Amino acid sequence: MKPTFVIYGNCQAGVLGETTKFIPEIHDHYDVVYYRSFDHPTEGKAAFDPDVMARCRYFWCQVDNAVGSPFDGETPEDMKKVIFPSVDLGMLWPFQTHDPIFTSEADYPFGMFPYGDRLLIKLAEANVPVDQVVEQFNQQWTEQGFNFDRYLDIEMHRLIKREQGAHVHMAAWVLSHFRTDRLLWTYNHPTKTTFRVLLNRVMAATFREALEPGHALYNVGDRIFESWDPFSVSHQPPIHAQVADALELMWHSPDDAYYFHNDTSISAREFIEKYVVERIVRQN
């Protein structure tokens, strides 16, 4: 029986688990087991198998703001544990919130709109007509105002603090690249650009060979994520023009389209209108 290679964390950790299928140095020698750290809306909680951890040789353990590892004290002494962070950045969607109206349903396990928006909720609760929604949204933005300098400072301290004690660090890289490169599709769904760097750093922290140019493990993330962008076909809330202008996002365009559901993409304007219309129908 092979030793196990255990990966624990949110959906980002799940993607790292999928990458091991393309890494013979891991796939051929270990039984790779991924345990999610969150409750899935249709699959529930992960069921932990003590035997899996008893055979564990390598353990990639993700740390985020609220979730720790349930395996402390239950792992072999010779196991190598690599702690890495969840990668997220909230300030690209500053009014994001949970919207209880959009719950799990057959066609949308995470809800039609998994990522809520406080301004859009407010417009829906006011029953704003669809032909006035975008105008009212822009007006709300102007009236609300937002201190992005303050938000950036808060994000910097939050991300750096979370990585204390981790073997892999991503905060400084994210904060120095988010203006020039699109790093996230949602606040917690990285693009392939980010996954490439994350996997390279996790591998380097796990295997010394991954630091050797020419070795198969060296910068393996560059190969795996060259064309694969796992969350590019998951629901994407738009980055609004006000945010792009305030943060000077070089990669953003007002004409950008955002993946909605079922192989369809919509504009930021269409997203705003659809969100409010759907919410008004469900709340009344």
Side-chain angles (χ1 to χ4, degrees), residues 174-220:
V174 169
L175 292 170
S176 63
H177 285 80
F178 78 90
R179 287 190 171 94
T180 57
D181 299 285
R182 173 135 206 190
L183 305 183
L184 296 130
W185 293 116
T186 71
Y187 88 95
N188 62 350
H189 278 179
T191 65
K192 65 178 183 178
T193 301
T194 303
F195 270 125
R196 173 182 59 79
V197 175
L198 177 61
L199 180 58
N200 286 341
R201 294 187 178 190
V202 172
M203 292 295 292
T206 307
F207 303 104
R208 280 184 294 180
E209 299 94 322
L211 296 170
E212 301 172 4
H215 193 278
L217 296 180
Y218 181 72
N219 285 346
V220 68

Side-chain angles (χ1 to χ4, degrees), residues 19-39:
T19 69
T20 63
K21 296 177 181 179
F22 311 106
I23 305 174
E25 290 78 6
I26 296 177
H27 184 266
D28 292 351
H29 301 285
Y30 303 93
D31 289 331
V32 178
V33 180
Y34 163 61
Y35 287 122
R36 60 179 176 272
S37 60
F38 62 97
D39 291 347

